[in-house]
Amino acid sequence: MVKFEGWEWMQMQCCGNLSPQAHYPPARRAVELESSETKVVLSVLGMTCAACAGSVEKAVKRLPGIQQAVVDVLNNKAQVLYSPQTVNEERIREAIEDAGFEAKVIEEESHDMSTQLCRIHVRGMTCTSCSSTIESVLQSLRGVHEARVALATEEAQVRYDPNILTHNHLISVIEETGFEPVLISTGEHITNIQLKIDGIKNEQCLNVIERSLHALPGVESIDIYPDTDKISITYKPYMTGPRTFIEVIESTGSGCFKATIFPNDGGREAQRQDEINRYSKLFIWSLAFTIPVFMTSMVLMYIPGVKHVLEIKVVNMLDIGLLLRCEFATPVQFVIGRRFYVGAYRALRKGFANMDVLIALGTNAAYFYSLYVVERAAFSRHFKGNDFFETSSMLISFILLGKYLEVLAKGKTSQAIAKLMDLTPDTATLLTQDDEGNVVSERQIDSRLIQKDDVIKVLPGAKVASDGFVIWGQSHVNESMITGEARPVAKRKGDMVIGGTVNENGVLHVKVTRVGSETALSQIVRLVESAQMAKAPVQKLADHISKYFVPLVIVLSLSTWLSWFLAGKFHAYPKSWIPSSMNSFELALQFGISVMVIACPCALGLATPTAVMVGTGVGATQGVLIKGGQALESAHKVNCIVFDKTGTLTVGKPVVVTTNLFKKMSLKDFYEFAAAAEVNSEHPIAKAIVEHAKKIIEEENHPWPEARDFVSVSGHGVKAIVLNKEIMVGNKKMMSDHNIAISVDAEETLAEAESLAQTGILVSLDGEIAGVLAVSDPLKPGAEEVISILNSMKIKSIMVTGDNWGTAKSIARQAGIETVMAESQPETKATKIKELQNSGYTVAMVGDGINDSPALVAADVGMAIGAGTDIAIEAADIVLMKSNLEDIITAIDLAKRTFTRIRLNYIWALGYNLLAIPIAAGVLYSSTRFRLPPWIAGAAMAASSLSVVCSSLLLKNYKRPRKLNKLEINGIKIE
């Protein structure tokens, strides 16, 4: 819960948890992790801010045997990972109480709070009816908290209680629904790796290896594939890793086994490529059989010599041409078109109708009528009839072509994720060090073999292989591919580096802190994937329509056929309307089939998710992480933005500019007391005071006197006992609450500081004002211009801060903000936002601190500045990675562009069906003799889905508003 301040955090900003889920997974009271580690969750009362959380965390971490301590100030909880042989729960509880807080072990948390995330790739979905059905089936399962199924990404994300369900159960349910599920992952912080093992002689060898690996701490599950000598291991990356697995395997069996990392199959991209190849092969085979059918029915019959051969009778009226068409059309209908039968059967068995049902009905009507013609011709000497074999075979071919092109196009919508995933280098240089930190040896390894606490060497021009911190060397690192930061960031000993960024100059030795799914890059990818899975509220319209669309189309198709058939039967239209090659029944049948196949719910179902996929992907490349369709939909309506001050409108790194003493004491003694109290606080002003004290005392690592009875008063300041004196450091409100008189001189000093947009901090010793510190936190470069642009967009800007009124008004005046709320508590910020919402505003909140989290959640759109805390980032809907205010405009503009594209997609998808169905039904036939043959209707149906996807892909050309190009941020002109 540490708040990283200002630009320093640009070196660490992606290392926090960017996922929209809770900061740590809920757990029961104590869960046995392994023989030497146990986890406990405690309720901690009395915490009010980040300083409190930091105090609790430090108190716990001082104890021996503590592996990890995470404090959640918003939920008043602490989660501790510890060694039971060294420390126990009671000792941990006492340590927290010694720090001044109430603590108790949570005996039993609700069963429903235990949550696990499962991601499943689902093959076989053809339209939004399929995704809606799977979603409703999964939601109905006991133990499922949430299920989301995305047609565009062909993925299901299920949050479920692992105590009630397993991922295998979820997979079997999807299979029973009639689709092909492939497991992607079973947990958010679990990594999977596949190893190839040479030297396996029999199944017993694999069993020995499996037992050896299961004995390792952190191994979750092991899957063995004897046919390929492959082993798949799911594990917790912070406890073990692939190099350990390889060492265990190779030491098993007296060294007769050799393990290597399995060639990367590309994951989802490989599955997508398989799907592209499958549709490509199906289309080519379909085309190979369809061309002869088309030629014999449409072309060769007009060539005199060939026509004579085709009309040679085989049996009665059955000629060679009809027999050839039947033989070539049959494999297309039942072998190549089998997927449509399977899909239709599965859908109907579960009580819903999808696009496969329409295709199967349409092609079967044409095929089996043609088969009837063949049978009549074979057994009659006088029968004359026309077949529609070319209709069914060409229809299937065009639909397969459309699907092939659609899969190709959909693959491009997720290119942003593919580009992010490709940032990690293939290899890394692993260093071996002795006890004194000297490098003993180095070797090249696959980057997937990196484990936590490894030391890796990063050469100039090379990519950093994993997240960590610099332990030797200095350089500049280009982080633009992750954060969007325009200029390289200086790195030296102790600075954090992000996996996937590029080392510009100088050699760095980096100690790895995060691997696998824990890395910043993985978390960004997961956040973008999660955003692409999330449905925008506007998509509910498509889901609702899809429930009734296919049954309605079937009714319309049958009605069209019946109307034309009866009209022909009772001579309601002249015989001249009937083409010479068919009769009234066949004409009616063609109209009915055309209606059935031209109506496409696919385009409707793809309208929103494809646009959201491209929009969120483009946002990620611009340094704006948008957490899904809901955030996009709300952001495009924003007409009021509430800004936090410190770290949002201002640089966020305050510095002490003046000190006025009102008591006879040296400056060093004054700062000795002030820093001793403030060193326990994580507030930006507290850090500024401590840093300034170091300069006064001229010692970087000066040991401050112990502060007893430390208390942080949220929004006001801190108090403690230092060297047997009661010291308070805070604002006027804190002093008046403790009945401490403020002299006229001190009042004048405060007023002067406030007039200069500085924050005045009072320091009291034993109930008397000892001095006043003036702390300055300058306005961010470009802030005034951003507010001006927002005003031109008719978006109201409001500043809300916990700082005093004088400083707040001065900063607001500099920024060009008219409405100000100062001296606001966290809950006051949230209340103000609700008041604005009640007044009819769609409100966005921009903040960076823990105290902004309630307001971020209360707002219609929460925007977290990238330099903010983990809690703020988790509470937000949009994360501005670069910490630049102009990205607020980019986020709103991108949301507007995306929703304009969604509206266009809907207009096209709905308009297409509203126009196409009447034309296919023959509305224009009476006046123009224009009709759509079924195969052309099939091509048009495929084109509609493709056009919607291509429409969404146009968002990839998004350019941020031109008015931002003239801004100067951090002294760099943005071009």
Side-chain angles (χ1 to χ4, degrees):
M1 299 302 154
V2 177
K3 177 180 174 72
F4 302 115
E5 297 306 323
W7 309 122
E8 289 178 350
W9 196 82
M10 292 305 296
Q11 301 163 1
M12 301 175 66
Q13 68 183 42
C14 287
C15 300
N17 187 350
L18 297 180
S19 65
Q21 288 76 47
H23 191 62
Y24 55 81
R28 284 173 290 172
R29 182 182 70 83
V31 182
E32 192 72 20
L33 293 179
E34 54 168 303
S35 59
S36 61
E37 290 183 1
T38 303
K39 183 166 65 182
V40 63
V41 178
L42 302 100
S43 170
V44 183
L45 301 178
M47 294 191 296
T48 56
C49 66
C52 304
S55 299
V56 172
E57 198 167 305
K58 286 176 184 175
V60 173
K61 284 184 174 178
R62 286 194 192 107
L63 297 174
I66 299 297
Q67 308 294 328
Q68 187 183 54
V70 180
V71 182
D72 183 349
V73 71
L74 290 183
N75 296 308
N76 295 314
K77 286 183 182 178
Q79 177 180 282
V80 183
L81 190 67
Y82 67 96
S83 299
Q85 295 90 345
T86 313
V87 69
N88 57 29
E89 295 170 7
E90 184 60 24
R91 183 70 191 89
I92 295 169
R93 188 188 64 77
E94 287 174 358
I96 296 173
E97 291 193 340
D98 289 343
F101 304 92
E102 292 181 37
K104 66 176 181 178
V105 174
I106 299 175
E107 292 296 333
E108 189 73 35
E109 287 205 346
S110 169
H111 220 47
D112 294 334
M113 291 297 289
S114 184
T115 305
Q116 191 160 318
L117 177 74
C118 180
R119 295 172 57 219
I120 303 168
H121 178 71
V122 184
R123 295 175 180 169
M125 293 191 293
T126 56
C127 65
T128 191
S129 298
C130 302
S131 58
S132 298
T133 302
I134 298 171
E135 205 167 87
S136 60
V137 168
L138 290 171
Q139 286 279 25
S140 66
L141 294 175
R142 178 175 169 267
V144 170
H145 303 317
E146 180 190 26
R148 293 188 298 188
V149 182
L151 175 65
T153 58
E154 295 182 330
E155 184 179 316
Q157 280 191 2
V158 189
R159 292 192 178 281
Y160 64 99
D161 187 338
N163 300 301
I164 300 174
L165 285 169
T166 64
H167 63 269
N168 290 325
H169 188 193
L170 298 172
I171 287 173
S172 65
V173 167
I174 295 173
E175 282 177 339
E176 288 169 10
T177 310
F179 300 90
E180 300 176 45
V182 178
L183 184 67
I184 298 174
S185 66
T186 58
E188 291 172 325
H189 302 292
I190 291 174
T191 300
N192 178 274
I193 197 162
Q194 295 176 341
L195 300 176
K196 177 85 167 63
I197 306 174
D198 296 323
I200 299 293
K201 296 177 181 176
N202 51 46
E203 197 171 328
Q204 188 177 357
C205 296
L206 285 171
N207 292 335
V208 171
I209 291 170
E210 183 181 11
R211 284 196 298 272
S212 300
L213 291 171
H214 262 306
L216 292 172
V219 172
E220 291 283 291
S221 64
I222 298 173
D223 294 314
I224 293 176
Y225 303 91
D227 297 339
T228 56
D229 292 337
K230 182 174 76 173
I231 191 164
S232 177
I233 307 166
T234 303
Y235 64 97
K236 295 176 180 176
Y238 59 87
M239 296 176 70
T240 187
R243 270 204 334 281
T244 303
F245 303 148
I246 290 174
E247 288 167 7
V248 167
I249 291 168
E250 293 184 350
S251 63
T252 303
S254 301
C256 60
F257 303 129
K258 179 73 175 174
T260 54
I261 202 159
F262 206 82
N264 195 351
D265 60 4
R268 181 186 296 174
E269 189 54 39
Q271 292 171 354
R272 193 179 298 283
Q273 194 58 49
D274 287 344
E275 190 175 21
I276 290 170
N277 294 338
R278 187 168 72 251
Y279 276 116
S280 174
K281 287 176 183 176
L282 284 172
F283 171 67
I284 290 168
W285 277 107
S286 180
L287 199 63
F289 284 97
T290 299
I291 288 174
V293 177
F294 174 78
M295 295 295 289
T296 55
S297 63
M298 301 282 192
V299 180
L300 298 178
M301 59 181 293
Y302 296 108
I303 301 174
V306 180
K307 179 183 178 184
H308 176 71
V309 174
L310 293 175
E311 289 179 346
I312 295 174
K313 302 295 186 286
V314 179
V315 178
N316 292 327
M317 297 300 290
L318 177 63
D319 59 39
I320 289 176
L322 182 58
L323 189 61
L324 284 173
R325 287 193 292 278
C326 179
E327 288 178 350
F328 279 105
T330 300
V332 177
Q333 185 69 33
F334 297 108
V335 179
I336 296 167
R338 179 178 177 272
R339 65 174 302 280
F340 301 116
Y341 284 98
V342 172
Y345 167 73
R346 288 171 172 172
L348 294 172
R349 192 181 67 177
K350 288 294 177 180
F352 75 99
N354 61 5
M355 197 62 210
D356 288 336
V357 173
L358 295 182
I359 296 168
L361 285 173
T363 56
N364 276 341
Y367 178 83
F368 283 105
Y369 175 76
S370 303
L371 207 60
Y372 163 76
V373 171
V374 171
E375 187 267 338
R376 284 293 306 276
F379 291 97
S380 171
R381 296 186 177 185
H382 308 290
F383 174 79
K384 285 187 177 180
N386 296 296
D387 64 279
F388 293 127
F389 283 122
E390 82 284 350
T391 295
S392 65
S393 55
M394 288 176 72
L395 192 56
I396 288 171
S397 295
F398 274 105
I399 289 168
L400 289 173
L401 174 62
K403 278 288 180 187
Y404 168 69
L405 295 173
E406 183 185 316
V407 171
L408 274 178
K410 281 201 298 187
K412 293 180 180 178
T413 62
S414 58
Q415 279 184 349
I417 289 180
K419 286 178 181 177
L420 284 171
M421 295 175 77
D422 288 342
L423 289 176
T424 307
D426 295 328
T427 60
T429 304
L430 178 69
L431 300 179
T432 304
Q433 295 181 310
D434 58 23
D435 295 338
E436 296 178 0
N438 300 315
V439 176
V440 176
S441 64
E442 60 179 66
R443 60 189 174 106
Q444 288 286 114
I445 62 167
D446 190 306
S447 62
R448 289 171 292 171
L449 292 174
I450 294 174
Q451 296 182 187
K452 188 178 179 182
D453 295 329
D454 280 347
V455 176
I456 57 175
K457 182 166 82 171
V458 187
L459 296 171
K463 289 181 180 179
V464 180
S466 196
D467 295 2
F469 62 91
V470 178
I471 60 171
W472 181 87
Q474 58 184 29
S475 180
H476 285 79
V477 175
N478 186 341
E479 297 182 341
S480 60
M481 62 286 298
I482 303 286
T483 67
E485 173 61 40
R487 58 183 176 183
V489 181
K491 301 290 180 183
R492 57 182 62 85
K493 187 175 180 180
D495 289 339
M496 298 297 296
V497 290
I498 307 166
T501 56
V502 179
N503 182 22
E504 299 257 314
N505 49 19
V507 178
L508 296 176
H509 291 180
V510 176
K511 186 165 187 176
V512 175
T513 56
R514 297 169 188 254
V515 293
S517 60
E518 292 183 322
T519 63
L521 193 57
S522 296
Q523 290 186 32
I524 292 171
V525 168
R526 191 162 61 244
L527 183 138
V528 177
E529 286 178 335
S530 180
Q532 293 178 350
M533 284 291 300
K535 290 185 179 179
V538 70
Q539 196 173 341
K540 292 177 183 176
L541 171 67
D543 292 344
H544 187 71
I545 291 173
S546 70
K547 291 180 182 178
Y548 310 102
F549 191 87
V550 175
L552 180 64
V553 168
I554 293 170
V555 170
L556 286 173
S557 175
L558 292 173
S559 301
T560 301
W561 169 77
L562 190 61
S563 300
W564 278 99
F565 174 69
L566 293 176
K569 198 76 173 172
F570 295 105
H571 309 292
Y573 60 82
K575 283 190 176 180
S576 60
W577 285 17
I578 305 172
S580 58
S581 59
M582 61 181 70
N583 56 37
S584 61
F585 173 82
E586 292 166 347
L587 180 65
L589 184 64
Q590 282 218 351
F591 280 126
I593 294 172
S594 293
V595 169
M596 191 170 291
V597 298
I598 203 167
C600 179
C602 299
L604 202 61
L606 291 169
T608 299
T610 53
V612 170
M613 281 180 74
V614 180
T616 52
V618 167
T621 60
Q622 298 265 349
V624 178
L625 296 183
I626 304 169
K627 298 183 181 178
Q630 173 77 59
L632 275 170
E633 184 160 347
S634 299
H636 93 281
K637 300 175 185 174
V638 166
N639 53 14
C640 176
I641 298 182
V642 177
F643 290 91
D644 173 46
K645 181 179 77 72
T646 306
T648 302
L649 285 172
T650 62
V651 172
K653 193 173 181 182
V655 291
V656 176
V657 288
T658 60
T659 307
N660 289 279
L661 299 182
F662 300 107
K663 201 170 185 179
K664 289 184 178 180
M665 62 187 305
S666 70
L667 196 60
K668 282 189 178 183
D669 290 342
F670 173 80
Y671 272 105
E672 186 91 11
F673 282 104
E678 291 283 30
V679 75
N680 293 309
S681 174
E682 294 291 345
H683 195 279
I685 290 176
K687 286 194 167 189
I689 292 171
V690 173
E691 287 301 313
H692 192 69
K694 288 178 181 176
K695 294 176 185 176
I696 297 294
I697 296 171
E698 298 178 346
E699 285 185 42
E700 183 64 29
N701 298 311
H702 180 71
W704 306 111
E706 184 184 357
R708 294 183 290 107
D709 302 330
F710 173 83
V711 177
S712 174
V713 183
S714 180
H716 298 303
V718 300
K719 63 178 182 176
I721 303 296
V722 178
L723 300 176
N724 296 320
K725 290 183 181 288
E726 185 184 53
I727 182 167
M728 290 189 195
V729 185
N731 56 18
K732 284 169 65 176
K733 180 75 168 55
M734 184 172 185
M735 299 303 159
S736 61
D737 286 347
H738 290 81
N739 300 316
I740 297 174
I742 302 173
S743 66
V744 175
D745 290 342
E747 288 278 12
E748 289 176 354
T749 305
L750 288 174
E752 184 184 352
E754 289 171 6
S755 67
L756 297 171
Q758 297 168 357
T759 301
I761 302 297
L762 293 159
V763 179
S764 75
L765 279 172
D766 287 338
E768 289 183 55
I769 298 296
V772 175
L773 307 174
V775 179
S776 175
D777 185 11
L779 195 70
K780 278 185 179 176
E784 187 179 356
E785 291 87 344
V786 167
I787 300 300
S788 175
I789 293 171
L790 289 173
N791 290 337
S792 69
M793 295 168 67
K794 294 183 171 57
I795 297 175
K796 181 180 178 69
S797 297
I798 297 173
M799 188 180 83
V800 60
T801 177
D803 212 337
N804 62 74
W805 278 99
T807 305
K809 285 180 178 177
S810 182
I811 288 288
R813 189 167 55 251
Q814 291 178 35
I817 295 174
E818 295 179 2
T819 309
V820 182
M821 275 195 69
E823 298 179 4
S824 299
Q825 300 301 308
E827 59 273 13
T828 313
K829 294 181 182 180
T831 304
K832 175 62 178 175
I833 284 170
K834 287 172 184 172
E835 288 173 4
L836 290 166
Q837 290 167 331
N838 292 335
S839 302
Y841 286 105
T842 301
V843 183
M845 169 69 192
V846 186
D848 74 325
I850 287 176
N851 60 342
D852 297 323
S853 300
L856 289 169
V857 172
D860 296 285
V861 182
M863 296 187 184
I865 289 289
T869 62
D870 288 353
I871 288 286
I873 288 170
E874 287 164 10
D877 302 298
I878 297 174
V879 181
L880 309 176
M881 298 281 288
K882 292 181 281 187
S883 299
N884 289 338
L885 291 175
E886 88 265 18
D887 285 340
I888 297 168
I889 297 164
T890 303
I892 293 172
D893 184 65
L894 178 60
K896 287 182 176 179
R897 298 276 189 93
T898 303
F899 254 77
T900 299
R901 186 59 55 185
I902 288 172
R903 289 193 191 100
L904 287 173
N905 287 350
Y906 271 122
I907 289 169
W908 169 250
L910 288 169
Y912 165 85
N913 283 299
L914 290 173
L915 287 172
I917 291 175
I919 293 171
V923 168
L924 301 178
Y925 192 66
S926 59
S927 57
T928 64
R929 298 295 182 278
F930 177 78
R931 66 187 176 90
L932 285 174
W935 63 273
I936 292 179
M941 181 273 288
S944 69
S945 297
L946 185 63
S947 63
V948 164
V949 177
C950 290
S951 170
S952 296
L953 282 171
L954 290 175
L955 279 171
K956 291 179 72 176
N957 300 322
Y958 172 81
K959 296 285 189 296
R960 45 187 240 143
R962 289 181 182 176
K963 57 186 82 172
L964 293 180
N965 292 341
K966 295 179 181 178
L967 283 182
E968 291 192 11
I969 308 297
N970 302 333
I972 301 173
K973 187 174 180 182
I974 307 297
E975 295 292 350

